[in-house]
Amino acid sequence: MIGPVDVMMVAAAGVSGPCVDFVWRPISFGPYTAERAAIIIPITVEGVGEALPFQLDTGSARSEIYADENAPLTARQVRVSGASWPARAVALADPGPRPADPGEPVGTAGVDLFPDGFVLRLATRQLCQLSPQDWAWHPMRRVNGSPVIVVEDDGQTVNLLLDTGSAAFSILSTPALSRGIAKAEPVRTLSVPSFGRELTVRELRPVTPFRVFGHPLAPERVYAFADADIETMLRSAGIEGLIGLSAFDGELAFDFALDQIAYRPAWSCPSMWCKFGCGQRASF
């Protein structure tokens, strides 16, 4: 549930800018539940008196309020609730009545809300403003505004869209596009909402290594789908799949202004914020 906004000014110099706590929201897929499936952040929308819960989604180029697709859009000043977060003009529908569940997201916070980027501290559940520090930056390609990173996959490199809106997943691809997926061992079959539809995916146990920016990833599970239309769409975009937040711990830094990205695993983080509570990953 989104309650009063807890904003922290970080005392350690050079760690990051002002931060706001986020909430992990579970999502159920049939009999299975992903406890850390969505990141919910408090958003202030012009003309609305209270902070609204939005899902943070780097897989979406545009922020939106969930409404009828024909609902009129109005330019509104929108920002992360909390001290010093800048407001951005975003065309949104009227929020309408709140859901019965006060923690249920009413919209999506896409990359257009963060033109300068942000830092995501997974272990301590914080979204922070980006500020200068000694990040080991790597070039970041973008597809329709969303970040794409290069992952080492069993001796090959694959381009995966880093999608915070698919937080419950680690790596989602097909055996045709990923060696690691092709070699992984089957666990079970799930029906999940992905790519704007209900998608049947196979949950797999990885047996080959994945690495990003030289750091090993240790996902307990990876996921495969079999959909020719989605595979064709990925190929045409020059990507081989998605990578979600359950593949990571520690800190992720997105610099959308300069199209660069950095990752600090929890074991390598210099700050107490990154180390505290490290190693927590989403699981079904």
Side-chain angles (χ1 to χ4, degrees):
M1 172 178 175
I2 298 289
V5 179
D6 179 16
V7 178
M8 297 184 61
M9 296 299 294
V10 179
V15 174
S16 63
C19 300
V20 62
D21 290 351
F22 67 75
V23 174
W24 285 111
R25 183 169 177 84
I27 296 179
S28 295
F29 310 118
Y32 310 111
T33 298
E35 296 295 338
R36 300 184 1 155
I39 284 181
I40 308 301
I41 59 175
I43 296 292
T44 297
V45 177
E46 180 184 10
V48 180
E50 59 180 336
L52 299 175
F54 275 56
Q55 180 177 0
L56 178 66
D57 187 1
T58 56
S60 178
R62 187 176 66 85
S63 300
E64 64 176 345
I65 282 178
Y66 306 143
D68 185 274
E69 62 180 15
N70 296 317
L73 303 181
T74 303
R76 304 170 185 265
Q77 293 294 308
V78 181
R79 64 179 177 86
V80 176
S81 302
S84 303
W85 285 85
R88 310 292 180 188
V90 179
L92 295 176
D94 190 312
R98 289 287 300 275
D101 178 355
E104 182 178 343
V106 302
T108 292
V111 295
D112 60 338
L113 197 56
F114 305 95
D116 299 324
F118 58 85
V119 175
L120 198 55
R121 293 184 185 147
L122 297 172
T124 54
R125 297 182 300 178
Q126 291 177 305
L127 178 76
C128 304
Q129 290 187 43
L130 186 65
S131 65
Q133 59 174 297
D134 57 344
W135 291 105
W137 292 110
H138 298 265
M140 178 180 67
R141 182 165 69 91
R142 291 211 264 172
V143 171
N144 295 330
S146 297
V148 175
I149 64 172
V150 177
V151 175
E152 298 174 48
D153 173 5
D154 191 33
Q156 69 173 164
T157 57
V158 292
N159 294 280
L160 302 180
L161 190 145
L162 204 171
D163 184 8
T164 62
S166 297
F169 289 117
S170 53
I171 295 170
L172 174 65
S173 185
T174 74
L177 299 177
S178 163
R179 291 179 186 171
I181 295 292
K183 294 180 180 180
E185 301 172 342
V187 176
R188 61 188 171 188
T189 299
L190 301 168
S191 180
V192 302
S194 189
F195 293 101
R197 68 187 73 178
E198 198 71 16
L199 189 66
T200 298
V201 302
R202 289 184 299 128
E203 185 179 64
L204 309 167
R205 182 179 297 106
V207 296
T208 57
F210 294 91
R211 299 175 67 88
V212 62
F213 309 143
H215 300 297
L217 301 177
E220 294 180 2
R221 299 288 188 267
V222 293
Y223 301 86
F225 64 88
D227 187 300
D229 292 339
I230 295 177
E231 187 173 322
T232 298
M233 177 184 68
L234 294 177
R235 289 182 185 273
S236 66
I239 57 179
E240 283 76 48
L242 306 180
I243 185 167
L245 292 178
S246 70
F248 302 94
D249 56 21
E251 298 176 340
L252 280 162
F254 300 83
D255 184 342
F256 292 129
L258 297 178
D259 284 337
Q260 55 187 8
I261 188 169
Y263 171 52
R264 285 183 179 142
W267 60 264
S268 71
C269 291
S271 70
M272 61 175 286
W273 309 107
C274 183
K275 289 181 179 178
F276 178 77
C278 65
Q280 302 175 32
R281 290 189 172 86
S283 60
F284 292 114

